[in-house]
Structures are given as C-alpha cells and as structure tokens.
Amino acid sequence: MIPIAEARRHVLSSCAVLEPRDEASGAAEGCVLAETVRAAEPVPPFTNSAMDGYALRAADTRSSPTRLKVIGTVMAGDDGTVTVAPGQSVRIMTGAPLPPGADAVCMVERTRVDEQGTVVVIEDVLEPGTNVRSAGEDIAAGSDVFAPGTLLGPARIGVLASLGIESVLVHPRPRVGVLSTGDELVTEAGPLPRGKIRDANRPALLGQLRRDGFGTVDLGIVGDEEADLVTCLEDARSRCDAVVASGGVSVGDRDLMKAVLEKLGGDAMRSMQVAVKPAKPFAFGLLDATRVPAFGLPGNPVSSLISYELFVRPALRSMAGHRTLDRPRLSAIAACDLPRRPDGKLHLLRVVAHTDGDGSLRVRPSGGQGSHMLRAMADANALALLPDGDGVRAGRHVEILLLDGDELVRAAEVAW
C-alpha cells in the first residue's frame, strides 16, 4: 500500500492546467481568471446620492433647523445639471447625480416641506459628503480589480458587469467523461435478473461532477470485454478533458480496466493500492499522446465516491486553475464512539455533522460503513478521518472533511 499523499502527488503532477480561453462574463461564474482585470472607468461612474432626500450645501445647515428654497428635482437617470446656490436645495432620489454646488444630502426623514413644496426645513447639521457616494469610491479608474487565479463568483460577475466588461480570459471547466464497467450492470427498471445490479456509480459521479461545476459526458456502461473498453476510451479521449471509470481496477479475474488503461496509457499508467478504507484500489494515467487524464475508481459505490473526493475532484480543480483543491477540513467532537481496528490505513467514516446549542461541531455515523452501503453515504455531510489505531472516543476531537455545507446547515435545524 502507498500513502494517500503519494498517490495525490502522482495525480496532481500529471494533470496540466487547461489552456485559457475567452468566456462571456455572464457565463464565467465558477471559472478561474487567467488574466488581470483592470477598470477602464470608475465605479460609481459619477458622484450620486445614497438616500432619497434633499441635495444641498452642508455650510447652509450650520444652524438647525434650516430653511432652504427647493429649486427642482433630480431623479435617478437624470443628468443632474441644475446648480445649487447658497440657500437652495434640490429634491433628489437615491442614485441620482449630485447637482453642481451641492456637497451633501439630507435624508427625507429629517426634513419638513411647506404646503407648496417650495421650502424645505432641514433638521440636521450636515458635514460635506454626508449621504453622498463619490465617483470611483468603489473602484478607481485604472486600478487592478481582480488578479489571475481569482474565482469568479456571483458578486465578481456583478463587478465585471458594472465595469462594462463583456468577456474575460479564464481557465475552462474540464469536460469529464464518465463510464461504468461490468457485465453485471443494468439501468432498466422492473424486476432484476438474478446476478444483475443497477448502475449507481455513473449517475452519482455525473451528479457530483455537475454539482462541482464541471462539464460531463455520459459514456454509458461498458461490459467486461477488452475491445469494447478500448473503443470507449479511444472515443472519450477525443472529446473529453478527463475520463472517470468505475469498476475493474481491483485484482479479480474480470477486472479488465487496469489492463486497458495500461494498454492505452503505457508507462504513464499506474495501478495503486492506497492506504485508505474504503477506496483502496485506484488506477491513474494519461491516455496516449492526447495526455487526457484517466481515473480508474473502485466498483463499490461508496469507494467510488470517496476516491473521487480524494483524487479526481482535486485534479479537476487543478486543471480548472483553482488554487484551493480540497473541501474544508474542520475539527469536530465525536458524539459517540467512532471505533476502528489497526490495519495501516486511514479510515474515512461517513458521518452527519451538526452544530449544537453551544456552537460546537459534533458528528455521529450516518449509518452502516460498508463500501457497498450507499444510503449511509447519501445521508452523510462529512467524512471523519480516523488515523490508524483504535478510533476516537465519544467527546474527543476528530478531523472531518466537510462534504456539504448546505447539509450542515440543515442538520443544525434537526434535533438529534
């Protein structure tokens, strides 16, 4: 067996970052920038009001209350060309340009207007700049806004829009082909023939890839025929940035995936027994001259998903230009005993994590821990990392890999 860290180093050192390409800014959410974004204009583009109220000269409010003549109204979208002289004010709406001569805005709640609407009483003493948004206050023209390596989330997409940037250079999201292998697999509903099982790995992996923001190609199920596997992978490498296959990487007589990957990948392909439970068998390499990464995952559904978390997801994020490759690791308290036996491997227990009344993070097993027991994986929102030994006693701290932050929030709302 080899340590997880060694297997990860081999994988990550082989997966090159995808070449950048231009992407429409509105479609680049979740992508990583490959260029510096600079502001060609200021944001806000002009000095404007932060409140509905009255634009005025702050010096006119030195004695409160102050009576000022109302000489007009400026709405959002107006050019705001009316000029405010001493003793005057302008009715103004939020976002409207601050009129020349004015240097402050009194919010409407601190004013009173006569019946004709021609005189306003200002009840506050204001300083210059009160309730005013200056041009370039958020972003100065010519400034660097985002650096290469920045992940474009919703707010950053909004910043690009505010600057009028229609496209950006980003690392594309990898397009990943997924297949399941094995003569025992079927997809049809209805009674199962004896000896057959329904394919859960491929739908689960496709769903996880989509959730993680990667493109997907469904390569279907391939039986235990070497020629069929070769044909499938040769086709996949021409239209995918990476390929993920489950099944056929252990030591059984019909575990052909290892042999096929070695045939297509040559010396670059490596079969491993990783010191982890579940997900010990793992194969990885590059398909021929295309250098397309190929991941061979175990056939047991829990092992397949955990192998994805340990090796596939970090590699794909690296290809997409991400700097942070793994999910968050947190310290939690075991709500009950988390036993295990010494065997030289890291054990990953499927657990439910939630915060209790004092804000501490606690975990308990989500169900059975067999590598075939997908229900417990489905109910888990974290993996507890148990190093070699006898496990963790109730009340002691344990490191967890957080799989689903949304589920953590939901778990906090459910009584134990």
Side-chain angles (χ1 to χ4, degrees), residues 337-361:
D337 288 346
L338 303 177
R340 56 154 295 172
R341 294 180 179 178
D343 60 3
K345 292 179 280 191
L346 173 71
H347 285 204
L348 302 181
L349 269 65
R350 279 69 73 200
V351 296
V352 175
H354 98 124
T355 51
D356 62 13
D358 63 6
S360 61
L361 189 62

Side-chain angles (χ1 to χ4, degrees), residues 330-333 353-362 397 408 412 416:
L330 305 173
S331 178
I333 299 172
H354 98 124
T355 51
D356 62 13
D358 63 6
S360 61
L361 189 62
R362 297 182 180 272
H397 283 271
L408 176 60
W416 282 82

Side-chain angles (χ1 to χ4, degrees), residues 48-136:
N48 65 89
S49 176
M51 295 281 181
D52 292 342
Y54 289 84
L56 46 78
R57 292 171 177 261
D60 285 341
T61 68
R62 290 294 174 254
S63 59
S64 180
T66 303
R67 295 173 62 84
L68 299 175
K69 183 178 180 181
V70 180
I71 63 170
T73 300
V74 181
M75 308 293 289
D78 290 349
D79 59 12
T81 55
V82 59
T83 299
V84 177
Q88 296 179 339
S89 68
V90 169
R91 181 80 167 98
I92 194 168
M93 304 302 162
T94 303
L98 193 70
D103 61 7
V105 174
C106 183
M107 67 175 68
V108 70
E109 294 87 347
R110 301 294 297 166
T111 66
R112 290 179 284 114
V113 184
D114 66 6
E115 292 182 1
Q116 292 73 34
T118 58
V119 175
V120 61
V121 177
I122 306 299
E123 298 177 346
D124 287 339
V125 176
L126 303 177
E127 295 295 328
T130 301
N131 298 324
V132 172
R133 302 165 176 161
S134 300

Side-chain angles (χ1 to χ4, degrees), residues 374-396:
L374 190 55
R375 170 64 185 276
M377 184 73 183
D379 289 341
N381 60 10
L383 299 174
L385 283 61
L386 302 186
D388 196 23
D390 297 316
V392 175
R393 292 286 187 182
R396 305 297 295 270

Side-chain angles (χ1 to χ4, degrees), residues 122-165:
I122 306 299
E123 298 177 346
D124 287 339
V125 176
L126 303 177
E127 295 295 328
T130 301
N131 298 324
V132 172
R133 302 165 176 161
S134 300
E137 182 179 313
D138 186 13
I139 301 172
S143 64
D144 290 350
V145 183
F146 301 131
T150 300
L151 176 63
L152 294 176
R156 288 174 175 145
I157 295 296
V159 169
L160 297 177
S162 73
L163 289 166
I165 296 174

Side-chain angles (χ1 to χ4, degrees), residues 141-229:
S143 64
D144 290 350
V145 183
F146 301 131
T150 300
L151 176 63
L152 294 176
R156 288 174 175 145
I157 295 296
V159 169
L160 297 177
S162 73
L163 289 166
I165 296 174
E166 296 182 335
S167 67
V168 284
L169 189 68
V170 298
H171 297 288
R173 305 175 187 88
R175 182 175 168 87
V176 187
V178 180
L179 70 145
S180 292
T181 67
D183 288 341
E184 73 278 14
L185 298 178
V186 297
T187 60
E188 298 81 7
L192 281 170
R194 184 173 177 81
K196 300 292 185 180
I197 59 172
R198 293 190 181 88
D199 178 24
N201 290 2
R202 184 171 47 90
L205 288 168
L206 287 167
Q208 189 65 66
L209 285 161
R210 286 191 291 267
R211 186 170 190 177
D212 288 336
F214 305 119
T216 59
V217 178
D218 188 348
L219 301 175
I221 297 173
V222 182
D224 293 321
E225 293 293 337
E226 183 171 327
D228 294 339
L229 285 172

